[in-house]
Amino acid sequence: MDHANFLEQCKKASSLVLTAPAGADGDSVGTQCAFYEIFKSLFPEKEILIVNEDPCPHRYQFLPFTEYFKTSEDLSKEGWAQKEHNDLWICVDGGPNRLGDKTTVFWKNAKARGQVDHHKVSQSFELDFKLNNPDAASTTEIVYEFCQHHRIALTSTLAQSLYVGLIYDTGLFKHSNTNPKVMRIGAHLLESGFNHTRAAEKVLMIRTESNIKLAQKILSHMHFEQEGRYVWATLTQKDFQDAGAKLEDREGLIDLLFLTENCEVASLSSEVEKDKWKVSFRARRLDVASVAKSLDKDGGGHRLAAGCSISGNEAALSAAHSAVKALIEKAEWI
């Protein structure tokens, strides 16, 4: 957490690009919006870009600066790879091994690379510098500490971006990573005067019609294993097509599984393309980051909330569930 070196590295760069792992969530979007505002204020002469594998999900587009989000495909169409705008890339809220194929090409061509993250990672990445604090509740908490260290004023827009990441990763201050420090940060951010009710509703509470249709699918075929300690469900490509849903419409659906009586571990598997599954885990007392890592070398996340990818047909997915159940049976509970 060398704040001074982080700022010095950003000062040296002629251009700054913010990126995040594919499958944006509230913390990664909030972090990118916050840094965009900070860098525009500190370095008005520099080119600042936000570049991800996919467009910004609709639910976060109420945040200022999301209109500047670009996709790697956008840059390729613009012939951006031939231009000298690849000085410094900063990956936030996750590892650069999960950026996505198109974005990874740009990342590898960057002259310098940095990372800002609160995940406990076992992989080693080629980085020139980083801000990492696995004890932080969200990546935006790290950005908040950066602002405090350098006495950067918390405008209402900056505070809102930081708050979005904080409430997303703490589940509106109900997850186990909520502590007195987190609550004090939240209170400080609220003092800037943004509409926190609107922010919470947009990010975590309002459901799309497609999301509700996916919920119906889950409720109709959710599975209770081991006397309800392990609850899981799958969403196939056909389920998404029937619901007219995008991948981002999965938001919050794992709670339908996790918030059931006796549940200790929940998993939701979504077929993102034919025979390729994204699996999300939630747990109360089991290190599911290790579970995700055992299924996928690039898997991981937080101890009680993690994810991974699995390739193969539904038989391969069934084998993965069997592996998870075996791990639960011999688990060392936290």
Side-chain angles (χ1 to χ4, degrees), residues 87-99:
D87 200 16
L88 172 59
W89 278 60
I90 301 173
C91 178
V92 306
D93 197 40
N97 58 317
R98 296 169 46 229
L99 293 176

Side-chain angles (χ1 to χ4, degrees), residues 264 283-289 302-304 331-334:
E264 291 284 352
R284 302 190 190 283
R285 299 181 295 128
L286 179 68
D287 183 358
V288 287
H302 306 291
R303 288 195 310 168
L304 302 180
E332 294 184 7
W333 300 99
I334 296 170

Side-chain angles (χ1 to χ4, degrees), residues 172-213:
L172 273 177
F173 306 112
K174 74 177 186 296
H175 293 339
S176 60
N177 57 353
T178 303
N179 56 41
K181 179 184 177 183
V182 166
M183 300 300 283
R184 285 192 290 269
I185 292 173
H188 187 199
L189 295 174
L190 290 185
E191 290 174 0
S192 70
F194 66 90
N195 188 334
H196 65 91
T197 301
R198 175 174 176 264
E201 289 179 346
K202 287 279 191 181
V203 172
L204 290 167
M205 302 174 77
I206 292 176
R207 303 298 182 193
T208 63
E209 180 181 349
S210 295
N211 176 275
I212 293 170
K213 288 180 178 179

Side-chain angles (χ1 to χ4, degrees), residues 9-70:
Q9 295 295 329
C10 293
K11 283 181 180 178
K12 289 171 17 181
S14 59
S15 62
L16 297 168
V17 182
L18 295 159
T19 190
D25 64 23
D27 195 20
S28 65
V29 174
T31 298
Q32 289 178 102
C33 288
F35 266 136
Y36 186 89
E37 180 172 352
I38 291 167
F39 291 155
K40 277 295 184 182
S41 174
L42 294 176
F43 315 121
E45 76 287 355
K46 291 186 192 296
E47 178 183 52
I48 315 293
L49 290 174
I50 300 174
V51 180
N52 296 307
E53 191 79 355
D54 306 304
C56 179
H58 177 74
R59 69 171 56 243
Y60 306 120
Q61 290 179 16
F62 72 96
L63 285 171
F65 312 115
T66 51
E67 66 267 29
Y68 298 114
F69 279 49
K70 287 179 173 284

